[in-house]
């Protein structure tokens, strides 16, 4: 084995040679050109180093890797689609952390349309799961801008949210069972399809949202839902977040759980999309201070979704709550409205540095949060451009702040923590969360002691020690 490419890697040769024996040399990447895509994340905030990227093809191979890692104390970092926004999936700069990629484990093991379940491997790309559900006239509702590249194991591990949480819940709510390899190499087969099962601790919920710190998810039983038969999407102009909240309550009151999306967009964020997103155009005839993208869908043809939308919007217009609105004339136009919304994250990169805050507050406090946080960041960095948008129906705002025009990007980004302190201060005043859906990872790890009670943190550490006694899996993430 001494002549193998592994001999030139930074890490001690022994574990790498054992990994090679377990999964085959061709499934281990060590050349810089091959490992490069695994070492940097979407925002370019973290650039890591690694002795190797391991690409197992089965649960047994993942188990073999973790058993070796546990025995040799080799730190392992788990990676799915590498779209995570808190740096957890990228190795650190030590050059010691080995990347375990789930990308090859992307089989759909079973689609059970009658039972409303799909069993998939962790490396399945979310968009493929949508397509497989659609093929049997079912819906898997988890929807996010990264769905073309994020993988279900990553979605589960981050308990991803997205734009359909309002009606269908977070990823946690869409899962019946999991298969997990523990850091010791033991395999827990919890691939149950049961809707009811009160037999003690529900262990799957520990792994969901654990950001890969407790085990490697290798497969999951997902819930499939009936596909809506009617869907209407509207793009709406409002004067203020207060008006958006009023509209939210009107639509929620009229549509109930048929309100499947309610997104708020500040004009600055929307202007960025108009400037930088290919083919983007304003569906409304004039610019508005704030925009709402709302979706109503129904599983029953008995509900006239369009008439409901028109009625609520007409009344809101008369009462001065809405200033302009366009209901999509076709499914394609509805998708084009959503394309504008999903493009909001990526276009911010074209406007220089952007400091991100993924926060949540009680829904009724969203207007107060936006007013106070905007005033606070403008006082801190005069000329900065808050470009907020987000899932208003869930009280989750991506309070992203772009650098002043012409400012130095590096100097602006250097103020990330200072800006975070003032924004998170407003979040705390309103009893909110400093991470609504992206997680803690490495980006917010230092903030956790400030938002968790000592006992809560201690319980988390005790759980980590029980599952990963040698601390080899996703070390220094979350805790
Ligand atoms: P990765 O980035 O590869 O990993 C994320 C974390 O999970 C890491 O800690 C990693 O170690 C761990 N992990 C990955 N796979 C496994 C596994 N099989 N077992 C154990 N641990 C694992 N997020 C939202 O919640 N809502 C949004 O609306 C949203 N929109 C986004 C839009 C864009 C354009 C982008 C780039 C990201 C967005 N995200 C959003 C963030 C991201 O897409 C989600 O966090 C997603 O769930 C990550 O999936 P992934 O496969 O890319 O995971």
């Amino acid at each position: 084995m001494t002549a193998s490419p592994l001999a030139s890697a930074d890490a001690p040769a022994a574990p790498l040679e054992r990994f090679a024996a377990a999964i085959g040399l061709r499934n281990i990447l060590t050349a810089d050109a091959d490992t490069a895509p695994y070492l940097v994340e979407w925002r370019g905030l973290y650039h890591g180093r690694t002795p190797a990227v391991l690409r197992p093809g089965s649960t047994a191979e993942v188990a073999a890797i973790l058993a070796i890692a546990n025995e040799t104390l080799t730190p392992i970092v788990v990676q799915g689609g590498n779209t995570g926004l808190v740096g957890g999936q990228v190795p650190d700069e030590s050059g010691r952390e080995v990347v375990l990629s789930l990308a090859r484990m992307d089989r759909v093991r079973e689609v059970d349309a009658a039972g409303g379940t799909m069993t998939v491997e962790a490396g399945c790309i979310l968009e493929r799961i949508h397509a497989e559900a659609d093929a049997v006239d079912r819906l898997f509702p988890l929807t996010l801008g990264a769905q073309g590249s994020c993988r279900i194991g990553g979605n589960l591990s981050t308990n991803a949210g997205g734009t359909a949480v309002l009606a269908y819940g977070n990823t946690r709510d869409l899962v019946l069972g999991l298969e997990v390899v523990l850091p010791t190499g033991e395999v827990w087969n919890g691939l149950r399809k049961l809707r009811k099962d009160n037999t003690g601790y529900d262990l799957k919920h520990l792994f969901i949202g654990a950001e890969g710190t407790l085990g490697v998810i290798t497969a999951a039983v997902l819930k499939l839902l009936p596909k809506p038969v009617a869907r209407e999407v509207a793009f709406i102009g409002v004067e203020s977040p207060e008006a958006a909240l009023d509209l939210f309550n009107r639509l929620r009151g009229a549509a109930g759980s048929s309100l499947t999306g309610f997104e708020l967009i500040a004009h600055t964020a929307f202007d960025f999309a108009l400037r930088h997103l290919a083919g983007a155009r304003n569906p409304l005839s004039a610019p508005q201070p704030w925009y709402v993208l709302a979706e109503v869908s129904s599983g029953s043809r008995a509900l006239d979704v369009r008439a409901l939308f028109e009625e609520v919007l007409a009344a809101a217009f008369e009462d001065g709550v809405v200033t302009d609105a366009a209901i999509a004339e076709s499914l394609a136009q509805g998708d084009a409205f959503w394309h504008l919304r999903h493009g909001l994250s990526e276009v911010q990169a074209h406007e220089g540095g952007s400091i991100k805050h993924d926060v949540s507050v009680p829904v009724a406090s969203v207007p107060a949060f936006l007013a106070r946080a905007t005033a606070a960041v403008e006082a801190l960095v005069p000329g900065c451009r808050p470009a907020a948008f987000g899932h208003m129906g869930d009280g989750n705002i991506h309070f992203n702040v772009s650098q002043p025009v012409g400012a130095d990007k590096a100097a602006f980004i250097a103020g990330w923590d200072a800006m975070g302190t003032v924004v998170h201060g407003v979040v705390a005043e309103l009893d909110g969360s400093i991470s609504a859906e992206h997680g803690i990872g490495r980006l917010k790890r230092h903030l956790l002691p400030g938002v968790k009670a000592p006992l809560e943190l201690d319980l988390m550490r005790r759980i980590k020690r029980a599952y990963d006694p040698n601390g080899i899996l996703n070390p220094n993430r979350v805790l």
Side-chain angles (χ1 to χ4, degrees):
M1 211 61 194
T2 43
S4 91
L6 301 180
S8 63
D10 286 347
L16 289 192
E17 288 177 7
R18 290 177 65 187
F19 292 142
I23 69 171
L25 198 52
R26 70 178 185 288
N27 296 315
I28 302 189
L29 311 178
T30 52
D32 288 351
D34 296 333
T35 59
Y38 299 84
L39 306 183
V40 59
E41 40 70 72
W42 198 76
R43 287 177 178 164
L45 287 180
Y46 295 95
H47 297 260
R49 293 171 59 230
T50 190
V53 175
L54 312 181
R55 291 167 46 88
S58 67
T59 303
E61 288 185 1
V62 174
I65 289 169
L66 291 187
I68 296 164
N70 193 43
E71 198 187 309
T72 57
L73 302 183
T74 306
I76 298 284
V77 173
V78 194
Q79 194 171 105
N82 194 10
T83 69
L85 296 176
V86 289
Q89 73 280 9
V90 174
D92 68 13
E93 283 147 30
S94 69
R96 291 188 65 241
E97 294 182 346
V98 171
V99 177
L100 193 169
S101 164
L102 275 297
R104 283 183 62 229
M105 289 186 60
D106 66 348
R107 272 167 300 178
V108 173
R109 290 190 187 167
E110 187 199 38
V111 180
D112 177 356
T117 64
M118 191 191 300
T119 306
V120 295
E121 292 186 343
C124 256
I125 289 186
L126 177 56
E127 214 161 62
R128 160 131 181 259
I129 295 172
H130 291 165
E132 296 276 349
D134 197 58
V136 293
D137 205 28
R138 295 287 184 275
L139 174 78
F140 183 65
L142 179 65
T143 308
L144 47 147
Q147 62 197 28
S149 39
C150 62
R151 297 177 187 271
I152 193 69
N155 301 142
L156 289 158
S157 300
T158 57
N159 185 28
T163 52
V165 172
L166 185 59
Y168 303 106
N170 292 293
T171 306
R172 186 185 296 287
D173 302 302
L174 303 172
V175 187
L176 294 174
L178 288 185
E179 177 186 85
V180 181
V181 181
L182 300 177
T184 50
E186 295 157 287
V187 179
W188 174 55
N189 184 343
L191 288 177
R192 303 186 184 103
K193 294 182 174 181
L194 302 176
R195 310 259 161 185
K196 293 185 135 188
D197 177 19
N198 283 346
T199 52
Y201 304 145
D202 196 339
L203 296 176
K204 66 176 177 291
H205 286 302
L206 266 181
F207 298 103
I208 300 171
E211 300 182 49
T213 56
L214 299 180
V216 178
I217 296 173
T218 45
V221 181
L222 306 175
K223 289 183 195 168
L224 299 183
L225 301 168
K227 210 162 77 179
V229 292
R231 179 171 76 99
E232 297 287 347
V233 185
F235 211 81
I236 303 157
V238 291
E239 282 292 334
S240 63
E242 284 80 1
L245 182 63
D246 188 335
L247 178 63
F248 171 68
N249 284 317
R250 287 167 184 245
L251 274 170
R252 185 77 150 172
S257 60
S258 294
L259 181 63
T260 43
F262 195 95
E263 300 284 308
L264 179 69
I265 307 169
H267 73 91
T268 315
F270 188 61
D271 290 348
F272 291 172
L274 292 182
R275 274 209 283 279
H276 305 296
L277 196 64
R281 54 176 279 285
N282 190 346
L284 305 181
S285 50
Q288 307 287 324
W290 293 86
Y291 300 87
V292 165
L293 196 167
E295 181 185 272
V296 179
S297 27
S298 170
S300 159
R301 292 193 198 283
L303 179 66
D304 186 340
V305 177
R306 192 167 183 99
L308 181 150
F309 232 144
E310 284 171 349
E311 198 179 309
V312 174
L313 287 177
F317 193 73
E318 241 170 60
D319 296 345
V321 171
V322 160
T323 47
D324 197 1
I327 303 180
E329 290 301 334
S330 62
L331 285 180
Q333 196 180 18
D335 290 344
F337 290 179
W338 274 114
H339 177 65
L340 285 170
R341 162 63 188 85
H342 286 307
L344 293 176
S345 305
E346 80 183 60
V347 294
Q348 294 186 353
H350 296 277
E351 294 284 333
S354 170
I355 299 180
K356 324 276 191 190
H357 310 93
D358 163 40
V359 300
S360 65
V361 293
V363 177
S365 301
V366 168
F369 166 75
L370 286 167
R372 290 191 217 172
T374 300
V377 298
E378 286 176 349
L380 187 73
V381 183
C384 70
R385 295 169 294 161
F389 63 93
H391 319 299
M392 180 163 184
D394 312 320
N396 174 195
I397 297 296
H398 299 304
F399 190 73
N400 297 349
V401 183
S402 285
Q403 67 177 63
V405 175
D408 179 66
K409 180 176 172 182
F412 178 72
I413 293 293
W416 191 298
D417 280 348
M419 189 173 283
T421 302
V422 301
V423 172
H424 294 153
V426 177
V427 168
E429 283 165 24
L430 296 170
D431 293 326
S433 167
I434 61 160
S435 185
E437 56 178 14
H438 296 160
I440 296 296
R442 291 157 70 195
L443 186 70
K444 294 186 177 172
R445 179 176 167 244
H446 64 294
L447 300 176
L448 214 51
V451 296
K452 294 276 185 205
L455 178 60
E456 220 171 347
L457 265 183
D458 188 44
L459 288 172
M460 286 170 70
R461 289 199 186 99
R462 284 191 234 173
I463 293 169
K464 170 72 176 169
R465 275 197 298 274
Y467 280 76
D468 184 11
N470 290 329
I472 56 127
L473 195 62
N474 276 11
N476 302 317
R477 274 78 177 164
V478 184
L479 289 170

